Amino acid sequence: METFEGYVEHIIYRNADNGYTVMNVVGDGEEITCVGSFHYIGEGELISVEGSYIEHPTYGQQLQVEKLEIKAPEDRVSIERYLGSGAIKGIGTALAARIVRHFKNDTFRIIEEEPERLVEIKGISERKAREIAEQIEDKKDMRKAMIFLQQYGISTSLAAKIYNHYGPATYKVVKENPYKMADDIEGVGFRIADEIAAKVGIHTDSDFRIRSGILYALVQAAADGHTYLPETELLGKTSGLLAVDAAHIGKHIMDLCINKKLVIKSEGERKDIYASQYYYLELNTARMLHDLDVSCDIQDSVIQTGLKAIERESDITLDEMQRAAVSEGVRHGLMIITGGPGTGKTTTINAMIKYFEREGLDILLAAPTGRAAKRMTETTGYEAQTIHRLLEITGIPDDANPRINFERNEQNPLEADVVIIDEMSMVDIHLIHALLRAVTVGTRLILVGDVNQLPSVGPGSVLKDIINAGVYTVVKLTKVFRQAVQSDIIVNAHKINAGERVVLDNKSRDFFFLKRQDPNVIISILIQLIQQKLPPYVDATSYDIQVLTPMRKGNLGVERLNTILQEYLNPKSPSKREKEYGQGLFREGDKVMQIKNNYQIEWEIRSKYGIPVEKGTGVFNGDMGIVKEINTYAETVTVEFDESRQVEYAFKQLEELELAYAITIHKSQGSEYPAVVIPLLTGPRMLMNRNLLYTAVTRARKCVTIVGSTETFQMMIDNESEQKRYSGLKERILEIS
């Protein structure tokens, strides 16, 4: 370990998000480059650092700082240097020299204890004197707080977030109730708060800990798709989490209800416990759906006349159910269309659009993901966008919702007569609530989706609950059209959904099954299919072909498959920069996926000359892209997503990305690929079900190839059990209706 003491001469680079800093430090006639995470260092400061020298491939020798101490400037040169460095807003080098010349070594004591005396210096007013004193005090307080927080193992970036939120109250919060941070600050969470509490000496059965544990158990439940938990399950999960007897937990549920943190809904003897946020999301969603459900008195003969004209002009023939769907869409403020692949959902949507256009109505189309919106655009010929872009996401939080904000809401509704949303099975309770806030009564809202697809990644079971409530107009398209029957993908998808046998004789042109039992043999076949066989067969590139697997772990899980596929599909090369992260690495040219919603991150679309032509915020769970550049000096990775949106990630943000040569079937929702390859061997029974297989098969446009065990394939068709999802939107709809 090397030590060095000197002044921060120049901050070359600083990442505002994580505090990563590259700076020149000068001391005893020597200048060195230091790197590390320091949110609170300014130019001109006197510091003592300890660390190890590393050799950067481009920028030479640097000191990787592991320990840093800020020293108060004591001699006149140090004080003048610090004040004139720009660290204190409003003081330049000339003014710093005048201050130190006047007060000499007593400068800092004067600023801290008698700041009014700064007016003795020419150019400093009373107001400016106060501002200088406040800045010195703030910086001193923040440094102390950062050092205090770091003794509890809190990173500098999180420590800065905590101090910025609480200010001088930081010490009180940490020592008395660190669980408050889990409620107030994104990024802390129950686990970190619990570790801090243990270090502070808070008892495991403290009231604060149990209440925070209850709320955390509900947060975890939401991550699994639930909007509430039955009381017995909540007690069990909280007891296991906290290692506290369930008998000690029950009374705290009522306390949290009194404090409006929880809502209890009783169903007979059963009690369902909601985090308040989710109860009111469901309740308000039900209320807004009810308000939109208005009827228009339009004669059927008028509608049928319009449809006949559309059929003639577009050279299409609608069946009875498709005609009914268009009629109901015209007559009702809210209606739902559901059906499997090949049942004519797209034709029905197109006929609706043409009908509404003939009436001179303004129409907006949207879907939950970029890929789904792109497909909607291709199939309808009308521009569709993501729901997030439709609602004009700003990434700027507000008091009502600290994580996300949309420009479109009750005060600024969507300017449309008709809003059509596709792939509704993917829409969670958060997104439907945000959408409904922006749709005014009198605007027609048409929801389209396949209710047999997997439910949304986020909490809730929106499409299923709306349909099962039996309150609103629902048209179920069941007839598979003649042209669709020519595709074994569609025929077999319907067979899977109905629990029928699928013929696996490989006489199909678009549905193949390769029987193999060895995981390594299966992987070698995947590579061969992606690199050689499928691209020319489906007229696509290797990057367009998607491996879909049921699991993350195991021999055929996402994590292992991605490591192997990366080697073959984007091998190591001197021309491709890399960045190791976690257990793996990212390489320029890699196919990657965003694995969490990031509403604040900025993207831009650039012209062929590299000039930004459009900017926006937000990248969402499931968005896929290509790593275009890895900048080891700036410590950034640039990814290009659909629609040529380029996003720059700091290295510390790489936890939001993962390789996407193989993805889970859950993550493929709403997407369509020229060809999919599905390895199927073994897996937990609850996961390996009909619903999952149906979703995987329906992701392919031209070709499905399954490699693995026919026994597992048949077992999945026979297994109707779906993972239980606790969702109360249906009950809220029935209460209001």
Side-chain angles (χ1 to χ4, degrees):
M1 294 288 276
E2 304 284 340
T3 58
F4 189 83
E5 186 173 306
Y7 302 98
V8 179
E9 178 77 9
H10 176 53
I11 292 178
I12 301 167
Y13 170 80
R14 171 171 286 150
N15 184 307
D17 293 327
N18 57 37
Y20 180 82
T21 305
V22 181
M23 58 188 179
N24 289 342
V25 181
V26 178
D28 289 334
E30 187 182 355
E31 182 175 326
I32 65 168
T33 301
C34 294
V35 294
S37 287
F38 332 106
H39 268 277
Y40 48 94
I41 294 296
E43 291 180 353
E45 308 221 50
L46 179 62
I47 61 172
S48 174
V49 291
E50 192 175 315
S52 304
Y53 281 104
I54 57 171
E55 192 68 32
H56 191 282
T58 307
Y59 304 106
Q61 194 179 64
Q62 299 176 335
L63 185 69
Q64 181 77 51
V65 177
E66 294 176 27
K67 188 177 175 185
L68 179 144
E69 181 186 352
I70 298 171
K71 295 182 167 289
E74 291 169 354
D75 61 87
R76 286 172 63 176
V77 174
S78 305
I79 295 167
E80 184 177 330
R81 187 171 198 145
Y82 174 70
L83 290 177
S85 67
I88 306 300
K89 192 177 174 184
I91 300 183
T93 51
L95 187 53
R98 290 206 297 276
I99 293 169
V100 176
R101 195 158 53 240
H102 188 79
F103 295 119
K104 303 183 173 56
N105 289 0
D106 211 21
T107 297
F108 268 105
R109 188 197 64 76
I110 296 289
I111 293 173
E112 289 173 15
E113 297 176 14
E114 304 175 70
E116 66 279 0
R117 287 191 58 194
L118 285 170
V119 298
E120 296 172 19
I121 310 299
K122 185 183 176 185
I124 298 182
S125 63
E126 284 185 28
R127 182 182 169 189
K128 191 167 188 174
R130 281 196 305 274
E131 287 174 356
I132 292 168
E134 283 167 8
Q135 286 185 70
I136 293 281
E137 192 62 31
D138 284 347
K139 286 178 178 291
K140 188 172 76 173
D141 288 346
M142 186 174 188
R143 284 186 198 129
K144 284 180 182 174
M146 300 286 271
I147 292 162
F148 167 75
L149 291 167
Q150 283 171 50
Q151 68 181 310
Y152 296 109
I154 299 172
S155 68
T156 55
S157 56
L158 196 52
K161 206 184 272 189
I162 292 167
Y163 181 76
N164 286 335
H165 186 87
Y166 294 118
T170 298
Y171 306 93
K172 188 172 187 286
V173 171
V174 169
K175 288 178 178 175
E176 292 181 9
N177 179 18
Y179 298 102
K180 183 172 170 51
M181 293 190 293
D183 289 342
D184 296 344
I185 299 168
E186 189 177 357
V188 174
F190 174 81
R191 294 288 186 192
I192 292 175
D194 206 31
E195 285 176 20
I196 296 168
K199 289 175 182 173
V200 172
I202 291 171
H203 292 299
T204 55
D205 61 351
S206 82
D207 291 354
F208 290 137
R209 183 170 188 263
I210 292 174
R211 288 172 196 166
S212 187
I214 291 167
L215 295 171
Y216 179 69
L218 288 169
V219 167
Q220 292 295 94
D224 292 333
H226 308 298
T227 57
Y228 70 86
L229 284 178
E231 185 178 41
T232 50
E233 283 203 34
L234 178 59
L235 290 173
K237 286 182 181 293
T238 309
S239 176
L241 171 73
L242 302 178
V244 171
D245 194 298
H248 297 306
I249 297 169
K251 70 183 181 72
H252 293 286
I253 291 176
M254 192 52 69
D255 291 340
L256 287 165
C257 282
I258 292 166
N259 291 330
K260 295 187 167 47
K261 297 273 188 180
L262 299 181
V263 172
I264 300 176
K265 293 295 288 183
S266 297
E267 297 285 332
E269 292 187 6
R270 195 181 87 175
K271 287 182 180 176
D272 297 332
I273 315 296
Y274 282 87
S276 293
Q277 173 197 11
Y278 286 106
Y279 175 74
Y280 289 109
L281 278 172
E282 287 190 343
L283 185 65
N284 291 331
T285 295
R287 178 184 54 76
M288 291 186 286
L289 286 169
H290 176 269
D291 291 348
L292 285 176
D293 188 32
V294 295
S295 297
C296 306
D297 187 17
I298 301 173
Q299 288 186 338
D300 191 57
S301 58
V302 174
I303 299 172
Q304 296 308 320
T305 301
L307 283 176
K308 283 175 185 172
I310 290 166
E311 286 179 309
R312 282 196 307 273
E313 291 165 9
S314 305
D315 194 23
I316 58 170
T317 304
L318 300 174
D319 80 342
E320 187 181 340
M321 291 309 294
Q322 289 176 313
R323 285 175 167 275
V326 177
S327 296
E328 298 295 359
V330 172
R331 285 202 193 93
H332 291 89
L334 173 66
M335 69 93 60
I336 298 94
I337 302 173
T338 184
T343 56
K345 293 195 299 294
T346 299
T347 303
T348 306
I349 292 171
N350 285 339
M352 274 186 175
I353 291 169
K354 286 183 168 59
Y355 187 95
F356 290 132
E357 268 199 324
R358 288 169 67 92
E359 297 296 309
L361 303 182
D362 291 327
I363 307 160
L364 291 174
L365 309 181
T369 66
R371 280 176 174 264
K374 187 177 179 184
R375 195 164 85 248
M376 197 179 186
T377 300
E378 290 165 355
T379 55
T380 64
Y382 294 83
E383 186 189 356
Q385 53 194 315
T386 64
I387 299 172
H388 290 88
R389 290 187 78 179
L390 177 76
L391 299 179
E392 297 176 20
I393 187 167
T394 64
I396 303 166
D398 62 15
D399 294 335
N401 192 339
R403 297 192 178 182
I404 178 175
N405 189 34
F406 293 107
E407 285 292 329
R408 295 291 180 175
N409 50 37
E410 303 92 331
Q411 285 77 43
N412 183 27
L414 293 167
E415 295 167 11
D417 301 303
V418 183
V419 177
I420 303 176
I421 307 294
D422 199 7
E423 293 288 355
M424 269 299 299
S425 61
M426 297 183 67
V427 173
D428 64 18
I429 193 66
H430 291 285
L431 198 51
I432 188 70
H433 184 268
L435 173 68
L436 292 171
R437 286 180 62 197
V439 179
T440 54
V441 174
T443 298
R444 291 180 178 86
L445 178 63
I446 296 162
L447 308 177
V448 185
D450 183 350
V451 78
N452 294 306
Q453 297 283 352
L454 288 167
S456 57
V457 174
S461 190
V462 172
L463 181 62
K464 192 172 284 186
D465 279 1
I466 292 173
I467 291 172
N468 290 345
V471 171
Y472 307 119
T473 304
V474 178
V475 175
K476 294 182 180 178
L477 302 176
T478 53
K479 178 186 173 183
V480 180
F481 284 85
R482 187 162 50 88
Q483 61 268 37
V485 173
Q486 295 169 7
S487 164
D488 286 321
I489 296 173
I490 290 172
V491 171
N492 290 339
H494 284 279
K495 285 183 176 180
I496 289 166
N497 193 42
E500 298 172 5
R501 294 272 162 178
V502 174
V503 178
L504 302 175
D505 57 7
N506 286 339
K507 291 180 180 177
S508 167
R509 288 180 301 173
D510 60 5
F511 196 101
F512 304 100
F513 199 108
L514 308 179
K515 300 175 187 177
R516 301 291 188 276
Q517 294 294 330
D518 184 324
N520 292 326
V521 172
I522 290 172
I523 292 170
S524 70
I525 289 173
L526 297 186
I527 293 165
Q528 195 176 21
L529 286 167
I530 297 167
Q531 283 190 316
Q532 299 162 26
K533 300 290 178 68
L534 287 173
Y537 190 71
V538 297
D539 189 25
T541 68
S542 294
Y543 273 68
D544 296 322
I545 293 154
Q546 190 59 54
V547 176
L548 304 180
T549 179
M551 295 164 295
R552 289 197 59 80
K553 305 286 184 183
N555 286 329
L556 294 173
V558 164
E559 292 172 8
R560 181 168 187 249
L561 285 175
N562 271 322
T563 303
I564 295 168
L565 292 172
Q566 183 189 42
E567 279 182 48
Y568 286 89
L569 301 180
N570 188 29
K572 190 178 181 68
S573 163
S575 64
K576 297 176 186 173
R577 282 167 289 196
E578 299 177 351
K579 167 59 183 169
E580 286 189 28
Y581 191 81
Q583 300 301 307
L585 61 83
F586 292 109
R587 183 177 291 138
E588 289 177 341
D590 272 337
K591 185 177 179 180
V592 293
M593 174 184 274
Q594 175 82 8
I595 58 170
K596 61 180 282 193
N597 288 337
N598 186 328
Y599 302 106
Q600 274 79 36
I601 200 164
E602 295 180 351
W603 54 261
E604 60 183 27
I605 298 171
R606 298 173 187 163
S607 69
K608 63 181 180 179
Y609 303 108
I611 299 165
V613 293
E614 188 180 345
K615 293 186 177 185
T617 57
V619 181
F620 308 107
N621 193 349
D623 285 358
M624 293 174 72
I626 302 291
V627 175
K628 303 300 285 185
E629 182 188 25
I630 296 175
N631 187 326
T632 51
Y633 181 68
E635 303 220 326
T636 58
V637 172
T638 302
V639 177
E640 186 172 295
F641 290 98
D642 287 341
E643 302 167 338
S644 302
R645 292 174 300 140
Q646 292 203 5
V647 178
E648 198 173 85
Y649 292 82
F651 280 177
K652 288 285 179 75
Q653 292 175 292
L654 292 181
E655 63 188 18
E656 296 185 14
L657 293 173
E658 67 181 22
L659 294 174
Y661 299 102
I663 63 174
T664 63
I665 296 167
H666 280 85
K667 289 283 190 185
S668 72
Q669 285 172 268
S671 296
E672 189 179 72
Y673 310 95
V676 299
V677 186
I678 308 165
L680 278 186
L681 204 52
T682 57
R685 181 172 171 78
M686 272 304 294
L687 178 67
M688 308 289 277
N689 59 30
R690 182 186 298 176
N691 200 211
L692 193 79
L693 183 59
Y694 173 78
T695 300
V697 167
T698 54
R699 296 308 90 207
R701 189 162 60 246
K702 294 181 180 178
C703 182
V704 170
T705 308
I706 301 172
V707 190
S709 159
T710 51
E711 290 80 9
T712 300
F713 179 78
Q714 191 56 51
M715 180 273 288
M716 290 180 78
I717 293 175
D718 295 338
N719 182 13
E720 287 185 82
S721 65
E722 292 179 36
Q723 216 161 356
K724 174 66 180 169
R725 182 170 278 216
Y726 296 113
S727 167
L729 179 59
K730 174 186 168 184
E731 285 69 30
R732 303 293 83 76
I733 290 170
L734 291 171
E735 284 172 2
I736 285 173
S737 299

